[in-house]
Amino acid sequence: MNKEQDLDVILLGRIAIDFNPIEIYCGLEDSQTFKKYLGGSPANIAVGLARLKQRVGFIGMISDDQFGKFVLHYFEKEGIDTSHIVKARHNENLGLTFTEIKSDSDSSILMYRNEAADLKLEVSDISEHYIQRAKYLVISGTALSQSPSREATLKALYIAKKYHIVVVFDIDYRSYTWNHHDELSIYYSIIAEKSDIIIGSKEEYDLMYALEGSNLTCNEIAKKAQASGSQLVVIKEGKDGSLVYSANEIYRVKPIPVKLLKSFGGGDAYASALIYGLLMKLPLADTLLLATASASMLVSSHSCSADMPTIEQLEQFIQEKLKTMNADNIVWSL
Amino acid sequence: MNKEQDLDVILLGRIAIDFNPIEIYCGLEDSQTFKKYLGGSPANIAVGLARLKQRVGFIGMISDDQFGKFVLHYFEKEGIDTSHIVKARHNENLGLTFTEIKSDSDSSILMYRNEAADLKLEVSDISEHYIQRAKYLVISGTALSQSPSREATLKALYIAKKYHIVVVFDIDYRSYTWNHHDELSIYYSIIAEKSDIIIGSKEEYDLMYALEGSNLTCNEIAKKAQASGSQLVVIKEGKDGSLVYSANEIYRVKPIPVKLLKSFGGGDAYASALIYGLLMKLPLADTLLLATASASMLVSSHSCSADMPTIEQLEQFIQEKLKTMNADNIVWSL
Amino acid sequence: MNKEQDLDVILLGRIAIDFNPIEIYCGLEDSQTFKKYLGGSPANIAVGLARLKQRVGFIGMISDDQFGKFVLHYFEKEGIDTSHIVKARHNENLGLTFTEIKSDSDSSILMYRNEAADLKLEVSDISEHYIQRAKYLVISGTALSQSPSREATLKALYIAKKYHIVVVFDIDYRSYTWNHHDELSIYYSIIAEKSDIIIGSKEEYDLMYALEGSNLTCNEIAKKAQASGSQLVVIKEGKDGSLVYSANEIYRVKPIPVKLLKSFGGGDAYASALIYGLLMKLPLADTLLLATASASMLVSSHSCSADMPTIEQLEQFIQEKLKTMNADNIVWSL
Amino acid sequence: MNKEQDLDVILLGRIAIDFNPIEIYCGLEDSQTFKKYLGGSPANIAVGLARLKQRVGFIGMISDDQFGKFVLHYFEKEGIDTSHIVKARHNENLGLTFTEIKSDSDSSILMYRNEAADLKLEVSDISEHYIQRAKYLVISGTALSQSPSREATLKALYIAKKYHIVVVFDIDYRSYTWNHHDELSIYYSIIAEKSDIIIGSKEEYDLMYALEGSNLTCNEIAKKAQASGSQLVVIKEGKDGSLVYSANEIYRVKPIPVKLLKSFGGGDAYASALIYGLLMKLPLADTLLLATASASMLVSSHSCSADMPTIEQLEQFIQEKLKTMNADNIVWSL
């Protein structure tokens, strides 16, 4: 290990505030009371990794107001390094996500993303020295959706490659942030070609490879990604779980049944446990069991960040579940 | 009366959503739960007037989402005509106001105003026929802060003058929306010169007349406004109450003591009761008593819209207060 | 006279560069060689007034490049005060006008106006002290078409009114600079209501008064303008010449026949001679004869600025023309 | 050959208008007469290739006005396919370049690039079918400087790679179009990694590789470019000529002495003759002789496009020069 690598993982991208209604299972227009949570996919994963005792850093932009202060306090409390989270320069706000939970399977969101701070990150905010300090760099695809955040992200990628830092690409597609499908195909491809690990849904891979051909099967997707050098390709298929391609093996991962509260948040929990397992060099099957367990825990809770489990909570949850089901029915090699 | 005048008053300007913390008397970063209310000064005044049984219309722009739907439902429930509230054309959001109530006298706000829908109102959204239907047009000064809302407001003003509709100008200065002090002096002056009634704080009048000279006394302010044709000039002086200049008389109006919850919202209540009294052709002293009473009721309640009083509530509040104090110590002619 | 009034007239607005083809009477795409001239209506009028020995100042913004330097040199050579011409702050360019002269009556233009420097003039560029130094302020209507130049112009207007400086409004409508017809009606009206002298074509007055009613006759236009305080109303009717309304009289002014080279530039010459006559307190009929003579001289020359006549050239031209026609057939009182 | 490949080369990027002063050797502010030429580096190269009898297509955006019409007529007259040159959708203008020729070695330019049409090219303007028709795709680096042209260029690149079309990257750095040096390093690198042929000056390569390390020698630059797959790397060193690296050989190419008129335009001539030689599969040394000869012819003429030589003119020029100098002193293998 490079002795400068005093961080396990640095994440780059969006930090937001989630407002989740207390009066759930009704339209958002009728919700009257809201709870405020830290949100944004890479921010959630950062919290997840910190709870799993990894040394976590973050590159991002926050608002220069009370909500920005809330984020900093929150991250500091979780032990996340905030030295490279910069403040908005032109009164940009943090993005907001008001969630509408109509039923356990019908959730939607109302976004405040106009002039959002996270997309104003600039190339000059990216420090070569900071990135060198990490073993892993996690790039969130929404950071690519607009300039100047797009170029800041590409700069971070180039620096990571220069120092042979493991690059994780979490595609995290959000339809409202992109101008044209071709643009996301282009930028997703540029990142994917240089990523060691890619995490996305089948639909996200289809969008990524749309310029080069379409209607790819999961196997074809994995082959394409591996051809340009990716070591691990995770393809999520919603309620069917996920397919995970390593160099030599393919795993099928099933969700662990729980009482659903909401239909989102699971992906971020999955990603944080997956990256944890990789950093800890756990066997891949064990890593994937942690990942799917963490996802199940999150979709049965009210928040996406505050409810991220510790390793003890994860293990206890798995132990509990394994009383009634077999691990081989959750994760198995094809 | 023009037989087409089936509306008492039309208001033009900002509609917003207020998120008021349930955990008050702490910094906003530490507030965890928020109640959602209709907000925005002219929207609050509209609700106030509707509760006072006036026939109210509104010209404004809302978001094309669940929050916009919330506004429409709310207005409709209050009996406010929403036929000329248009939907945002380019995914603009409703403005949000997160209030921070640190003590009964120390409140501040965190605004979400980037690409706010209300400032996107266009001249083509202003209907000559609609404005003709009202006796009064109330213009909120924040609508002047940016184009194209600025020009839409000026168009409404010109139409109102053409049909001899009474123009009320509520200066409603917000520092964060203007580029340069000279710009607000210019536009406030353009509106004030054509307004029959002007409502503002001493500071707001100072800003308005800054280009033409400074350090005006209240009497000089009133004289200037009357010289260009205003019939009624209301100058608010915070805790000292207000000075009200009609053509022949000057009134001093004092606040009615209450237990304060927050230091904002009173102005909108004041304005709605004032316009109510004018529309009902009540004696000016009686009108001003209603206005100051309504203001006091609001600053002791949690919201700026939902707590607007009915005439019965207002009268009951006044009656209660008059048990221990004399009306002549609240409103008197100088 | 205020002893500080060491300038006869200050003009505010657009300075541009004209490129007039040497190969005329063909489409612009086929013109290969171009001559560069100073252009922009108020800049042309400034040169015209300087040639008529008036003390001229200018408020405007130029590019920070060789073309801006060209403008400064040109103005200085003509004796125009350039102390309040500011340089563009964000690499804006001077507007360009490529003229296409297909025949003596069929001219058109290709404009370069994207991010033009003149429309970036700001309120902070307007000096109260400078405007005080002039007897007349000439406002060009194109300066109203976009912010922040719009507000800078309104600020200059308010300052001029404060010091009782004569305001001349040259409507100078250009279709490509405005977002919506209602907007120009609004801003033209705001300026016109405070102007002592208005110069415009019949079509321009129709646009100005469109919000308030339409299909006005010239007499009705003049009456409206006089009602809000204008002392002199000039209505141009193209080849039919112009109608000029003073407080007591109406004049018909005919063009003086010349061999046309191009169909533009005459208006600026007319305006400069008109303002000259007013400043010199010449009889109105004599002033108008100079104005129409100057217009005729310009439309028979290649440029709009470089060919502005001196008083000697004007008088010689008139003397020559009066050998074959009667002055009473050029300008007469109705 | 793919039977659909009915075009030898398609160029993508900027088309502009050059205005070159007739009064040279003075400051631009003093130049009075200008000649209009087609300009823009890829447009010049397109003309150069057409004169060398190649079948040329172009992807770009022009203004919807007389200057746009001039471009189309010019290209059509030269036999260049204009079927994929689109018209500006929002009144953007063609970029303009006013050249200032102070001496034979001191030239500078004044650019009109605000809202230039060429940078508004969109991904939807890029046709997969059109690019398939060419053997070579030439990408000009200025097209990468801003969105949406940036993404349109990347899309063209991905399509070219999909169909194994030879990609030529002409770096063509212009300082005024980029926000930050890191951004150009990023985008130049993305293109270079997928290019078969790269043409640039030493300074341009330094900018390209700045993120990855600095102070590279020419040999190191070539090695880096070859490592990511480039077959031919041309490094221009101004008056010293150029170094050209193929897979197996390195050539030194010297300029052929001529009487200089201006210090620009030579690069485009060089590129067109180089691409011509490659398309014709001429020996590399012969190709480079044509390239340097073409460059010399251009810097001694008034325009950058109109003076592009035919093959007969090139050969005659070389023959003439070889009377007094040896070919081996112009191009030689190291």
Side-chain angles (χ1 to χ4, degrees), chain B residues 149-253:
Chain B
S149 162
R150 176 179 288 170
E151 287 72 30
T153 308
L154 289 167
K155 179 177 172 185
L157 174 76
Y158 268 82
I159 293 169
K161 295 314 285 181
K162 178 174 172 184
Y163 293 104
H164 309 292
I165 290 160
V166 177
V167 174
V168 182
F169 178 31
D170 185 17
I171 302 180
D172 190 32
Y173 170 65
R174 307 279 161 173
S175 62
Y176 47 83
T177 49
W178 288 91
N179 290 326
H180 192 286
H181 269 195
D182 285 348
E183 295 198 4
L184 60 89
S185 291
I186 290 164
Y187 286 105
Y188 286 173
S189 295
I190 290 170
I191 301 285
E193 289 170 14
K194 295 185 185 293
S195 291
D196 301 286
I197 299 162
I198 311 179
I199 304 171
S201 68
K202 175 72 168 66
E203 291 70 30
E204 290 174 330
Y205 286 99
D206 286 344
L207 288 168
M208 176 155 82
Y209 291 128
L211 260 188
E212 303 180 42
S214 47
N215 292 323
L216 301 179
T217 64
C218 286
N219 282 0
E220 288 168 337
I221 286 168
K223 205 165 286 177
K224 264 189 97 60
Q226 289 170 332
S228 61
S230 298
Q231 303 298 311
L232 198 74
V233 182
V234 177
I235 306 177
K236 295 185 281 189
E237 301 180 292
K239 292 176 178 170
D240 292 339
S242 50
L243 277 168
V244 179
Y245 295 77
S246 73
N248 318 307
E249 283 173 303
I250 308 177
Y251 286 94
R252 162 61 67 189
V253 186

Side-chain angles (χ1 to χ4, degrees), chain B residues 62-103:
Chain B
I62 55 172
S63 57
D64 189 11
D65 60 18
Q66 295 98 319
F67 283 172
K69 208 188 285 184
F70 163 69
V71 168
L72 285 184
H73 290 181
Y74 200 99
F75 268 20
E76 282 158 11
K77 207 188 63 200
E78 298 285 341
I80 296 168
D81 178 71
T82 60
S83 61
H84 285 69
I85 296 178
V86 296
K87 283 186 182 159
R89 298 177 179 97
H90 303 289
N91 296 316
E92 291 91 354
N93 289 123
L94 273 184
L96 302 183
T97 309
F98 294 89
T99 52
E100 180 177 61
I101 306 178
K102 288 192 164 170
S103 74

